[in-house]
Amino acid sequence: MNALRVIPTWRHGQERLYVCRTDGRNVAWYDREAARVNLLSEERREDVLDVLGPFLTGAVTVGPPPVPTPAELVRLSLHPDDDLAPNRPGEALQTVLDHEPGPQRRMRPDPRRHALAAELAVGEALDRLDGAGWRTLHSVPLPGGDRVHHLVIGPGGLFAVHTVYARKQRVLVADPMVTVGRREARPLLRVVRADANRASYALTAEVRPVLALFGPRDVSVTAPLREMRILLDTDVTSLARSGGVLKPADVEALHAMARDRGTWVRV
């Protein structure tokens, strides 16, 4: 037995199969699109090809990987359980719903499913910025059970995006209170700012707060907001229009730091 295991990962519709040791360290990965097995250790060639055998299709190239970027080196050094990059939009909520689906046939829909729909819509829109030099992490965990719904890093800086389901409802914003439909007002902007401040502390860089509203009928803001942006789910990609703050190397370095779960344990 070669004591290796195969771990599939998906990102933006592309699959990679990582070959890991029992301690979680990577020794190789198979890129289906490139038809290439990238070996980090030539000594494990036979073991890697043996464990990947059921997954290989057609002719493949086997050899050392191209010279990795700093971000790739960080990813390869992370245990899979500590890498936040594979998180899907709404990952944390989806996990809760998988384990606690709630009673069936309720008169009112489970609000958690509404929240998940909002995170999926916003997260998928933000993922489409990847080709423009932006990176997005989803469901970034914070101590105490809190989380940043979406952490966006790109040429325009860093943004902590908090999503709210407001489909066909009126939203009233009176800083720091937010009222959605007929629900009770909540000091939501205070929460969004606090999450952004915690992210700033963890990454030692300014992270700006953003509230993303999913499908509201209309939005009223009673006064200019302090250090806060409010966007609709259909307009979150407007973040990409801001630029001139970070160089590509800075984006990759901050993304590499942010994807490590250990970065967030003491904020």
Side-chain angles (χ1 to χ4, degrees):
M1 178 175 271
N2 59 29
L4 297 177
R5 58 178 179 151
V6 177
I7 299 178
T9 64
W10 286 86
R11 187 66 170 162
H12 306 311
Q14 297 181 353
E15 182 183 25
R16 279 189 176 182
L17 301 176
Y18 288 93
V19 180
C20 302
R21 304 185 311 191
T22 53
D23 63 1
R25 299 287 179 177
N26 296 311
V27 297
W29 72 92
Y30 172 40
D31 188 331
R32 287 187 188 274
E33 185 175 348
R36 179 179 178 85
V37 176
N38 296 282
L39 293 170
L40 297 179
S41 173
E42 183 65 31
E43 296 178 356
R44 303 302 301 269
R45 172 186 284 258
E46 296 304 320
D47 290 340
V48 167
L49 294 179
D50 180 59
V51 74
L52 278 175
F55 305 95
L56 299 178
T57 55
V60 297
T61 303
V62 182
V67 176
T69 65
E72 189 77 2
L73 288 172
V74 169
R75 179 184 54 71
L76 292 171
S77 70
L78 286 176
H79 188 284
D81 292 342
D82 292 330
D83 189 358
L84 301 176
N87 279 7
R88 303 162 294 176
E91 181 83 20
L93 265 178
Q94 186 65 68
T95 299
V96 171
L97 286 167
D98 288 344
H99 290 85
E100 303 173 18
Q104 300 297 314
R105 298 183 179 178
R106 297 176 58 180
M107 293 297 293
R108 294 184 179 179
D110 189 332
R112 298 175 302 174
R113 297 196 180 278
H114 281 167
L116 177 59
E119 288 194 46
L120 286 172
V122 171
E124 289 170 1
L126 292 171
D127 280 342
R128 290 194 288 272
L129 296 178
D130 188 74
W134 291 75
R135 302 288 180 263
T136 303
L137 296 169
H138 306 288
S139 288
V140 176
L142 301 173
D146 298 325
R147 61 192 174 89
V148 176
H149 292 179
H150 316 280
L151 180 68
V152 190
I153 306 169
L158 296 87
F159 301 90
V161 181
H162 186 99
T163 66
V164 171
Y165 183 91
R167 187 168 179 79
K168 297 182 180 180
Q169 298 178 82
R170 183 173 183 271
V171 177
L172 174 64
V173 180
D175 196 357
M177 308 302 288
V178 176
T179 307
V180 179
R182 297 180 179 179
R183 280 177 276 172
E184 184 177 352
R186 297 169 51 207
L188 189 56
L189 299 192
R190 191 175 297 155
V191 173
V192 181
R193 290 189 180 105
D195 289 347
N197 287 338
R198 294 172 76 180
S200 296
Y201 179 82
L203 300 173
T204 62
E206 182 185 11
V207 179
R208 287 173 280 178
V210 176
L211 180 66
L213 300 172
F214 176 74
R217 187 180 67 210
D218 60 77
V219 180
S220 299
V221 181
T222 61
L225 299 175
R226 175 180 56 84
E227 299 176 351
M228 170 72 65
R229 293 179 69 173
I230 295 181
L231 299 173
L232 304 185
D233 61 291
T234 54
D235 196 36
V236 290
T237 54
S238 66
L239 292 174
R241 293 200 287 268
S242 54
V245 177
L246 297 176
K247 298 177 181 178
D250 298 327
V251 172
E252 295 303 326
L254 285 164
H255 180 250
M257 182 188 302
R259 69 190 297 173
D260 183 354
R261 188 181 298 271
T263 298
W264 306 96
V265 296
R266 293 186 179 88
V267 297

